[in-house]
Structure formats: structure tokens, C-alpha cells
Amino acid sequence: MKNGMKPQNKGSKQLFKNPILEKLSRTHIAVPLIIFFVYSSGLIYWNVTHTSLSVGLSILMFIVGLLSFTWVEYLVHRYLFHMKTYTEVREKLQYTMHGVHHEFPKDKSRLAMPPLLSITISTLLLFLFRLVLGDLVFSFLPGFLVGYALYLAIHYMVHAYQPPKNILKFLWINHSIHHYKDGDGAYGVSSPLWDYVYGTRTPLSHKEKDRTPVSS
Ligand SMILES: [Zn+2]
Ligand SMILES: [Zn+2]
Ligand SMILES: [Zn+2]
């Protein structure tokens, strides 16, 4: 997060001068949710019809995929979306990918990646994970993508709706710490699990550990 950048409660930002690029930079949340649902269903169908994996192992790999996603979510948010911006190019890149979300957290059109990009990445992951996992990929990747869809849905709800009056309220509090208190902690959106593992659960514990100057 850029130093001194105040989150705006209203409004939006034009990211590109080119109107087509600008339009592509905005996504309705339902689009990726539908895409990942269809994509995962297709993979599960393939898992059932074209592999000899047992139901038990398939369910296990689905859960492993889901948990793997929460780890990737944490790492990407911490090290890519909040990468150090010591050059102009990096600063622009960081702003386009994530800084804009911190400046306009309530802009609902910028809460998901462009669909074409998410389909491309999913397909790259399919080939990449297939090399490592073989047929296990057809139950692992659905778990991974469902994890991603859950993350998108939770992130959207946290920004678009008031917190509920039940246990799930902690997700709203957790992510508002990241946005409104300290952008260098509470990186996990779908759960605080990996913040506990890496000691970034509270911004304070993270800073004491690093002893880095406060750059936010
Ligand atoms: Zn930051
Ligand atoms: Zn957010
Ligand atoms: Zn962030």
C-alpha cells in the first residue's frame, strides 16, 4: 500500500486511457464465480469418467487443493499485491493490480480478475499441476478453484455488505484490519490461518519480528 494513500468510501478510478482496456479491468463478481463453478465441475466430471481414483482419494485431494489455495492466496496477497515498490514500473504495476483496491475498497467492479485472465491462469495451472500430480490434478484443481471462488465471494461480501450478526463477522473485522489499520498484516481474506503460521496475524507481531521501518 502506498504511504499516505487514504481509502475512499466512494468512487472509482480510471486505470487505462484505452476504453477497451479500461472496460476489461472491470469484472462483475458473478462472472468468475460461474466460470470457476463450471471449470471445476468439468474437471470433476473428467475425474469420474477418465481416471481410476477412488472417491476417498478424490475427496482428500479436493481438500488438499482447497487448503493449497488458501496458502497461495496468502503468499500472492503478501508478496505480489503488496510487493515493494522501489521503482516507477513496480509502483504502477502494484497500483493496477492491488493499490487501486486499497484506494477504492468499495468499488465492486474491481474485486475480481478479468475473466479471460482467470481462465488462462486456470488452464496454465491445469498443465503445470498435471506434470506434478498426474491424474490427481482432476480432483486437486477443483478444490483449488473452489477455494479461489470462495475467496472471491468472501472478499466481495466483506466489501459490499454490512457484517452479519453471526460467527462469520470475524471475516469482516479481519479484512478491515488489513484495509483500515495496517496493510502489512492480516493478509488472509478467506481465513486468518496463514497469518497465524507466518506471524502476521496482528500487524504488531509482524512488525516486531521484521524490525523493518514502517512503510505500510
Ligand atoms: Zn502495503
Ligand atoms: Zn479488500
Ligand atoms: Zn491488500
Side-chain angles (χ1 to χ4, degrees):
M1 214 198 310
K2 211 156 128 196
N3 227 352
M5 192 172 63
K6 281 255 153 56
Q8 309 290 313
N9 271 324
K10 271 189 184 138
S12 186
K13 179 91 151 204
Q14 185 176 348
L15 282 177
F16 300 100
K17 286 204 182 79
N18 181 316
I20 297 166
L21 274 181
E22 175 65 13
K23 186 118 182 68
L24 285 174
S25 78
R26 297 174 186 278
T27 308
H28 190 286
I29 192 69
V31 177
L33 293 184
I34 292 167
I35 289 173
F36 289 124
F37 180 75
V38 172
Y39 208 111
S40 300
S41 305
L43 290 169
I44 290 168
Y45 176 78
W46 190 272
N47 184 60
V48 172
T49 55
H50 287 74
T51 74
S52 50
L53 241 62
S54 71
V55 175
L57 186 57
S58 298
I59 291 171
L60 180 71
M61 285 315 292
F62 185 92
I63 294 167
V64 171
L66 199 86
L67 285 174
S68 303
F69 174 79
T70 65
W71 183 54
V72 170
E73 173 203 323
Y74 177 88
L75 294 177
V76 167
H77 190 191
R78 182 173 177 184
Y79 294 107
L80 183 69
F81 290 175
H82 285 278
M83 64 187 184
K84 301 272 169 271
T85 53
Y86 40 76
T87 66
E88 190 93 342
V89 175
R90 274 176 159 252
E91 178 138 2
K92 278 222 170 82
L93 189 66
Q94 195 278 334
Y95 185 83
T96 305
M97 282 194 303
H98 193 62
V100 67
H101 170 57
H102 274 272
E103 194 174 0
F104 298 96
K106 294 192 170 156
D107 180 356
K108 289 179 206 151
S109 71
R110 292 251 171 73
L111 291 173
M113 262 196 288
L116 203 64
L117 198 61
S118 39
I119 295 174
T120 308
I121 291 176
S122 305
T123 306
L124 284 175
L125 288 178
L126 178 59
F127 285 102
L128 196 77
F129 289 155
R130 178 119 207 244
L131 289 178
V132 185
L133 296 170
D135 275 357
L136 294 176
V137 78
F138 299 110
S139 44
F140 174 89
L141 193 55
F144 193 90
L145 296 179
V146 165
Y148 184 45
L150 279 174
Y151 153 78
L152 284 176
I154 290 168
H155 193 215
Y156 184 86
M157 289 193 294
V158 162
H159 284 295
Y161 303 116
Q162 291 299 311
K165 289 185 176 67
N166 57 41
I167 184 107
L168 289 174
K169 192 182 174 185
F170 85 93
L171 290 167
W172 270 252
I173 296 167
N174 182 54
H175 196 52
S176 69
I177 291 172
H178 175 71
H179 273 280
Y180 301 105
K181 287 224 173 89
D182 194 326
D184 294 320
Y187 293 104
V189 176
S190 60
S191 88
L193 172 68
W194 298 101
D195 286 293
Y196 281 113
V197 173
Y198 287 99
T200 51
R201 177 65 191 104
T202 65
L204 190 69
S205 65
H206 172 49
K207 266 172 198 152
E208 275 169 354
K209 240 174 156 171
D210 277 11
R211 301 224 171 269
T212 46
V214 182
S215 60
S216 105

